[in-house]
Amino acid sequence: MPRATNPIARLWLRLAALVTSTAARPYADMDYDQMHDALHALAAEQPDFVRLFAAGDAFGRDIADVPGTCGIKHKKCEHYYLVVTDFASLPPAQQHAGKAGWEGAKDDPVEGRRPARNASSRAEVFLSGALHGDERVGPLATLATARLLARSAACVRDGAPAASCPHLSKGESVAFGDREEAEARLQWLGRLVKTRLVYAAPATNPWGFAHRSRSEVRVDPNRDFAIDTRPDACAASATGRVVNEVFRRHVFQIGVTFHGGMEAIAYEWGAPTYNKAAGTPVRATHGAARSSARRPGYVAPHS
């Protein structure tokens, strides 16, 4: 595992390492209906720390609707977002975070609407499980991360130790380790929930996840941006449009997107098409990303 120099990145790598050891038995892949039910179950299980909204309800069906079906029981392809934080301690202006009506009406800094309400009281984190639906580790890892955060926060709230906390599964309890180490980890996870707003999309591309396909119908969401195509041809996928709406309304301090097919913990450094079109050397873009990784909140200028 490469060494992360950014303190925020190190923090989330520690969480990822803990998540990977929380299963009492090997994780099993899910279909769309199972993922749908698991997301709703988590929101119902931990309402103090988890809310769930559908992007179509927040941003409109013209943004989020996908042709075709996703499940047998739940046919409609919904872009679900989990929001994990300690809702009770949010300031009044953010008390409705994670609710579709609030998320859809939230300030859009790109358009400059209601800028006075755009500030967040907590650092915001974005977790994307599967832009490519045939890459299956991300959805499970993202769901497990949200579940572990919320359940740990409930344990801290109730003053229950990791070894006997009723909110944790057997595998989660065992993964916390020995007593002293376990309590330190539990308190750390509880603090994360109090000091972060985590937006997690286990199946970012629900159609691809349901059909085990890289694309959404015929569009690769990971290429559905103006930087890699004509400006009038981008936003062809509902996945791309929904992620765009989320990012227009939030300033995420860190984001993690899961892919499959290789083993790496890497940071985004640009796109060859952009470098070629703008005449920007790859080295300059690489240097900017590396500086950003080393110094949180700082992006090196480049010409």
Side-chain angles (χ1 to χ4, degrees):
M1 179 181 294
R3 179 175 179 268
T5 55
N6 183 325
I8 301 176
R10 287 201 302 270
L11 180 149
W12 288 96
L13 288 177
R14 286 175 59 199
L15 176 57
L18 183 58
V19 166
T20 60
S21 62
T22 57
R25 59 183 182 274
Y27 285 108
D29 196 7
M30 292 182 175
D31 60 24
Y32 179 83
D33 286 334
Q34 291 170 322
M35 178 61 75
H36 176 285
D37 291 346
L39 296 176
H40 283 79
L42 179 58
E45 174 196 321
Q46 298 295 341
D48 290 346
F49 305 109
V50 180
R51 287 176 184 166
L52 178 69
F53 72 91
D57 296 337
F59 310 127
R61 292 295 164 185
D62 57 327
I63 296 291
D65 273 1
V66 182
T69 60
C70 274
I72 296 174
K73 182 170 63 172
H74 308 290
K75 296 186 181 300
K76 190 170 187 59
C77 298
E78 293 281 12
H79 294 79
Y80 283 117
Y81 280 74
L82 291 166
V83 181
V84 182
T85 195
D86 179 10
F87 292 103
S89 60
L90 281 172
Q94 288 186 283
Q95 280 294 315
H96 298 292
K99 296 180 179 179
W102 188 86
E103 293 293 339
K106 192 178 184 298
D107 313 338
D108 181 345
V110 175
E111 301 296 339
R113 296 199 299 265
R114 300 181 296 280
R117 292 179 51 227
N118 193 51
S120 174
S121 63
R122 296 177 183 173
E124 297 185 328
V125 177
F126 181 75
L127 304 179
S128 169
L131 271 178
H132 295 145
D134 58 347
E135 298 169 4
R136 307 300 288 187
V137 67
L140 295 178
T142 303
L143 176 59
T145 298
R147 187 182 282 148
L148 184 64
L149 283 168
R151 289 176 174 175
S152 298
C155 296
V156 172
R157 177 200 61 199
D158 297 345
S164 59
C165 179
H167 299 286
L168 298 174
S169 69
K170 179 180 178 181
E172 288 167 341
S173 294
V174 170
F176 275 92
D178 295 333
R179 183 173 180 178
E180 185 175 340
E181 183 180 51
E183 294 315 304
R185 286 176 167 177
L186 191 68
Q187 293 298 322
W188 170 66
L189 290 173
R191 183 177 181 277
L192 282 184
V193 175
K194 274 188 172 291
T195 58
R196 307 291 190 274
L197 265 166
V198 180
Y199 284 74
T204 321
N205 171 7
W207 191 95
F209 176 76
H211 296 275
R212 305 180 73 90
S213 169
R214 176 184 175 91
S215 66
E216 176 192 293
V217 190
R218 294 183 178 85
V219 180
D220 182 347
N222 207 34
R223 302 293 184 271
D224 190 22
F225 303 96
I227 196 172
D228 278 326
T229 187
R230 301 190 321 272
D232 62 351
C234 67
S237 68
T239 297
R241 295 192 297 270
V242 167
V243 172
N244 180 59
E245 292 299 320
V246 173
F247 269 74
R248 284 162 71 114
R249 288 165 169 80
H250 297 275
V251 180
F252 293 109
Q253 277 66 47
I254 188 169
V256 178
T257 177
F258 287 88
H259 288 267
M262 64 179 292
E263 294 183 6
I265 297 175
Y267 56 83
E268 300 292 348
W269 56 269
T273 49
Y274 169 79
N275 293 329
K276 182 177 180 181
T280 303
V282 173
R283 181 176 296 179
T285 311
H286 175 82
R290 187 170 64 178
S291 295
S292 177
R294 287 179 172 174
R295 295 174 60 182
Y298 171 77
V299 177
H302 65 277
S303 57

